[in-house]
Amino acid sequence: MKRIRFDRAPARAGITLALAGVLAACGGSGGGGDGGDTLPRSLSEVSPATFDSAETVALLAPGSVYGSTVGMTAAGLSLFGMLGGDVEESRVVRTRDCSDGGQVVFLGRADEDLGSPYTGGLFDVVTTDEQGCQEGDLSDPSESLETHTEGERRIGYPVNADPANADEFVAYELSGVSLDDPYTAVLNTENGPVMDWSRYWDGHIEIRRGTAQDSQLGDGGGATELYQVSRIRSGGSDGIGYDLQTGTSANDRFVMRYDAINDRSASEYREEQYSGVFGRRFLDSDGQPIGGDCPVGRYQVSTDGLTVDQERDKDVSLFVPGDTQSIVSGGLTMEDQAGNTAQVEYDGNAGIVTVTLNNETAESFTYQELNDALLARCFSARR
């Protein structure tokens, strides 16, 4: 059986490269504190949303989902920018010790039909269990990054794929055993805690090269079908924590496609299309739901297209979920469990989000107003 060839690169480097996309899903890094307390590991699905006002809809709207789907897939698979070397050196095909404690236990390897939506044929699937694995040690002055990982993962690539020369590539990841037994990763740097991420994650991905001569896989665009329940906190115990859900099961995944615009990398400038269940729930410093008037919930959402430019000027002092400040234009449709419907329109040039709830009079919100509303309803102590 022909094996896939990759550039050798540590997985923790891939996670670091994808952090910008992960944090964009929340809307900002939130504070960069010095706390190191971990979040509760057991996960739960986000409860159904209720669209009780146009403001609630504007705060719940997903905006750009690249960071919360493809960006985090890049972190999980460590694919982007690393394709082209030897997979046998980068994948764990035998039990090994981690550099600074713990081990990665090899559980098996097999060719499997994973039902990929992007290609037929078998996948070369490797299953591992990371047990107290630590890479890097910040007590060593020469180290700048420390990661801790725990849990099972199944990573699959097509058996006969050749990513070094391919214009398109597909992959699959299952992280965690269940919501009660997720996969977890904690990142710290010399400047303090960066991210604490627990996930149950079942998803397929397709990535394509762009048109530039030095284009990497993913630069031209791609797609994902993903069921995830994730718990994420950036910036330590006084940072921003939230639960995120896309899809409801492996049989009802969130579907997302993105395409590069004007020969620029899709990670910078793209068109996004998506549909499915999306949900978010903000957490307090102990990792518990904030409750009260803080918007929370999952709902059906779809869009025929959002134009997103990551290089747009942004007011970094504003906390607006969904990387809203990067959206140039586009709209989406949302529906809650009770049948309330909403249309959301983004006007990046004016810096306005407009919501029409149940076909009533439209209401518009500036980025500043959304920032103020979210802080008042969820994070009043930060005002």
Side-chain angles (χ1 to χ4, degrees):
M1 177 178 68
K2 183 178 180 181
R3 301 297 184 185
I4 303 169
R5 303 188 67 79
F6 282 77
D7 285 330
R8 183 173 185 176
R12 59 190 178 128
I15 294 174
T16 303
L17 289 172
L19 278 177
V22 173
L23 299 183
C26 175
S29 60
D34 59 2
D37 298 335
T38 57
L39 294 171
R41 294 305 179 208
S42 181
L43 304 174
S44 62
E45 293 198 338
V46 178
S47 59
T50 298
F51 297 164
D52 55 13
S53 70
E55 181 183 89
T56 294
V57 171
L59 294 174
L60 285 175
S64 169
V65 301
Y66 178 90
S68 54
T69 57
V70 178
M72 293 201 293
T73 301
L77 290 173
S78 299
L79 280 174
F80 290 72
M82 303 177 189
L83 301 171
D86 191 341
V87 72
E88 297 307 314
E89 294 183 10
S90 62
R91 301 185 83 182
V92 177
V93 293
R94 61 185 59 83
T95 297
R96 68 165 179 83
D97 292 333
C98 302
S99 62
D100 295 281
Q103 61 180 349
V104 180
V105 178
F106 173 68
L107 299 180
R109 186 174 196 173
D111 293 346
E112 301 181 28
D113 181 358
L114 297 177
S116 170
Y118 308 119
T119 186
L122 300 178
F123 278 63
D124 173 16
V125 181
V126 173
T127 305
T128 58
D129 184 8
E130 298 176 35
Q131 301 178 353
C133 180
Q134 178 178 338
E135 302 284 357
D137 185 353
L138 291 176
S139 65
D140 183 341
S142 66
E143 297 277 0
S144 60
L145 176 67
E146 180 178 309
T147 67
H148 299 261
T149 54
E150 188 86 31
E152 291 190 19
R153 300 175 75 196
R154 297 179 68 228
I155 305 296
Y157 308 121
V159 167
N160 292 315
D162 182 12
N165 299 302
D167 291 328
E168 298 181 0
F169 186 67
V170 299
Y172 169 80
E173 176 180 8
L174 174 63
S175 286
V177 175
S178 65
L179 296 182
D180 291 328
D181 188 11
Y183 178 83
T184 64
V186 178
L187 259 66
N188 299 309
T189 72
E190 56 190 342
N191 297 319
V194 174
M195 185 177 69
D196 188 332
W197 179 17
S198 295
R199 68 180 185 263
Y200 180 74
W201 180 285
D202 187 330
H204 297 271
I205 186 173
E206 174 193 45
I207 49 179
R208 305 190 309 273
R209 287 191 200 279
T211 57
Q213 185 174 0
D214 59 350
S215 175
Q216 298 175 347
L217 285 166
D219 285 353
T224 186
E225 294 194 8
L226 173 64
Y227 169 57
Q228 68 161 315
V229 177
S230 288
R231 177 162 296 152
I232 304 163
R233 182 173 63 195
S234 58
S237 60
D238 67 344
I240 297 297
Y242 61 102
D243 290 337
L244 178 68
Q245 180 175 343
T246 60
T248 62
S249 70
N251 297 318
D252 182 29
R253 295 185 176 101
F254 187 84
V255 178
M256 184 264 192
R257 176 185 175 89
Y258 68 104
D259 295 283
I261 299 175
N262 293 344
D263 298 328
R264 290 171 59 186
S265 169
S267 63
E268 297 177 356
Y269 193 30
R270 62 186 175 272
E271 184 86 0
E272 295 184 21
Q273 297 177 335
Y274 56 78
S275 64
V277 169
F278 186 96
R280 186 189 296 114
R281 175 173 53 208
F282 286 105
L283 308 173
D284 63 20
S285 59
D286 295 322
Q288 301 301 315
I290 290 176
D293 195 34
C294 186
V296 61
R298 69 175 192 264
Y299 48 84
Q300 288 282 342
V301 62
S302 64
T303 177
D304 292 331
L306 294 178
T307 301
V308 181
D309 186 352
Q310 298 289 161
E311 304 302 306
R312 286 172 59 88
D313 291 335
K314 304 178 184 69
D315 184 344
V316 297
S317 69
L318 296 181
F319 180 39
V320 186
D323 203 16
T324 299
Q325 293 189 76
S326 294
I327 300 175
V328 179
S329 63
L332 49 87
T333 299
M334 299 164 57
E335 182 174 357
D336 70 11
Q337 186 171 261
N340 296 300
T341 61
Q343 287 73 46
V344 181
E345 295 291 333
Y346 295 92
D347 184 343
N349 292 325
I352 290 175
V353 179
T354 300
V355 177
T356 304
L357 179 58
N358 291 326
N359 295 316
E360 297 177 356
T361 302
E363 297 184 46
S364 295
F365 305 90
T366 66
Y367 299 154
Q368 183 68 60
E369 288 171 337
L370 292 177
N371 169 86
D372 295 345
L374 187 63
L375 292 181
R377 295 177 63 172
C378 301
F379 304 103
S380 57
R382 296 176 183 268
R383 302 188 74 186

